[in-house]
Amino acid sequence: MSTALPLPVPPHDPERRAWLLATGAAGGVAALGTAVPLVSTLAPSERAKALGAAVEVDIGDLAPGSSKTVEWRGQPVWVMHRTAAMLAALQGQDAGLVDPLSRRSLQPAGATNPTRSLRPEIFVAVGICTHLGCSPTAVAAGGSHPGLPDDWSGGFFCPCHGSTFDGAGRVHRNKPAPTNLDVPPHHYASATRLVIGEDGGA
Ligand code: FES
């Protein structure tokens, strides 16, 4: 499994998590109008539009067990092709999880399920810890890593304060991260084209 997360991770800012909240866009417009009263300056720049644009990802070359990282809105977003064994490892873990059904975590409505995904095998998540914004590392089942239990069943480990997440980004109990990893809005344009940043068809 690839774990490369080459992108710099900015300090965690809870306001950045507002992109899944319906009020986010209206709030941004209001703030801009206050700071810059000239109507002619209100149109978003090409750079601003590019920063907020959806990102299309080719997953046709994503073999089971592998992953890739793309940038969306300045954040690293992981796209992981989970194997059948990785999916099986998600079962029977609820008692050890803070929010197993993701009722208090951020994800598209269609991904509010135990695998936290639109397609069970494809996991899409923002690679930023929900505690203080460090970048967790993917660790496969059985992988040894300081801070992980011997019976580790696979998932993600945050080296900053030891939060651990299962293979669906669900945080374990008694860890500092309060919620599961964020799953960004996304949909599939075709069998092999994933669009991150826009909800749409499944
Ligand atoms: S930033 Fe991840 S555990 Fe604190």
Side-chain angles (χ1 to χ4, degrees):
M1 182 185 339
S2 169
T3 62
L5 299 173
L7 300 171
V9 178
H12 183 66
D13 180 351
E15 292 186 6
R16 298 191 61 189
R17 291 158 53 74
W19 45 259
L20 279 180
L21 302 179
T23 56
V29 169
L32 184 58
T34 300
V36 186
L38 298 177
V39 173
S40 62
T41 66
L42 294 181
S45 67
E46 291 304 312
R47 173 174 164 74
K49 284 192 287 187
L51 286 172
V55 176
E56 188 166 309
V57 185
D58 180 6
I59 59 171
D61 59 352
L62 200 60
S66 67
S67 64
K68 59 176 65 176
T69 301
V70 299
E71 182 178 2
W72 173 68
R73 293 191 174 181
Q75 305 172 107
V77 175
W78 303 331
V79 182
M80 176 180 288
H81 190 160
R82 295 179 292 204
T83 63
M86 293 164 76
L87 289 170
L90 301 179
Q91 300 175 10
Q93 305 291 331
D94 288 14
L97 301 170
V98 171
D99 187 17
L101 301 180
S102 296
R103 292 186 171 128
R104 291 181 285 112
S105 301
L106 295 178
Q107 63 279 316
T112 307
N113 52 50
T115 63
R116 305 191 72 228
S117 60
L118 303 181
R119 293 183 184 174
E121 72 278 19
I122 303 296
F123 179 52
V124 182
V126 175
I128 297 177
C129 181
T130 55
H131 181 219
L132 293 176
C134 288
S135 184
T137 299
V139 182
S144 62
H145 196 288
L148 292 181
D150 293 338
D151 61 348
W152 176 248
S153 58
F156 307 93
F157 172 74
C158 182
C160 288
H161 311 98
S163 288
T164 55
F165 307 83
D166 75 355
R170 299 180 297 180
V171 66
H172 292 106
R173 290 187 181 278
N174 302 315
K175 303 294 181 181
T179 59
N180 301 334
L181 297 176
D182 295 348
V183 176
H186 63 280
H187 70 276
Y188 294 92
S190 72
T192 59
R193 306 299 294 181
L194 168 67
V195 179
I196 296 171
E198 294 176 349
D199 282 321

